[in-house]
């Protein structure tokens, strides 16, 4: 079964976002803070498998020449299956005209070397 990819924040379970970020060792906050951050982003990507949110990422941008990727996380059980690459590909496609800064948690930098 191919995953479903969505680009808007409608119907996102923000508690799952916060819990996923916590599980993978990234900074996390109250679920409403994540909702506000994602809704204020230039682009968002959410990946679902069987209705379950399994990965997500977002980028902020001026829409002209600068952007930064934040909060890219994959539920641990789905890591290593190309979901992160899919998310990054969709983010890059919406920001192909921009210089893109990637923020990574300590120890996670290697992931971005394989998808960039």
């Amino acid at each position: 079964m191919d995953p479903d990819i969505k680009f808007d924040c409608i119907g996102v379970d923000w508690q799952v976002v916060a819990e996923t970020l916590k599980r993978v060792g990234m900074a996390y906050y109250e679920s409403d803070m994540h909702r506000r951050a994602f809704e204020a982003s230039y682009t968002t990507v959410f990946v679902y498998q069987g209705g379950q949110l399994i990965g997500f990422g977002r980028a902020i941008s001026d829409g002209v020449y600068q952007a930064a990727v934040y909060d890219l996380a994959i539920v641990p059980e789905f890591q290593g299956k190309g979901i992160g690459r899919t998310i990054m590909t969709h983010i890059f496609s919406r920001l192909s005209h921009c210089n893109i800064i990637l923020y990574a948690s300590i120890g996670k930098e290697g992931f971005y070397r394989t998808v960039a």
Side-chain angles (χ1 to χ4, degrees), residues 17-23 25-30 34 71:
V17 170
E19 289 169 5
T20 301
L21 290 166
K22 181 179 180 179
R23 286 182 69 197
M26 294 174 62
Y28 64 94
Y29 305 95
E30 293 179 23
H34 290 295
D71 297 329

Side-chain angles (χ1 to χ4, degrees), residues 18-84:
E19 289 169 5
T20 301
L21 290 166
K22 181 179 180 179
R23 286 182 69 197
V24 301
M26 294 174 62
Y28 64 94
Y29 305 95
E30 293 179 23
S31 57
D32 190 59
M33 290 181 70
H34 290 295
R35 178 191 59 77
R36 292 188 350 237
F38 273 78
E39 287 178 347
S41 296
Y42 186 84
T43 189
T44 59
V45 180
F46 299 93
V47 180
Y48 293 84
Q49 184 75 45
Q52 174 189 357
L53 180 60
I54 61 170
F56 49 83
R58 68 186 182 98
I60 61 173
S61 178
D62 56 23
V64 181
Y65 58 84
Q66 295 293 345
V69 174
Y70 290 91
D71 297 329
L72 190 135
I74 312 302
V75 171
E77 296 81 14
F78 291 90
Q79 292 179 2
K81 299 179 186 286
I83 309 264

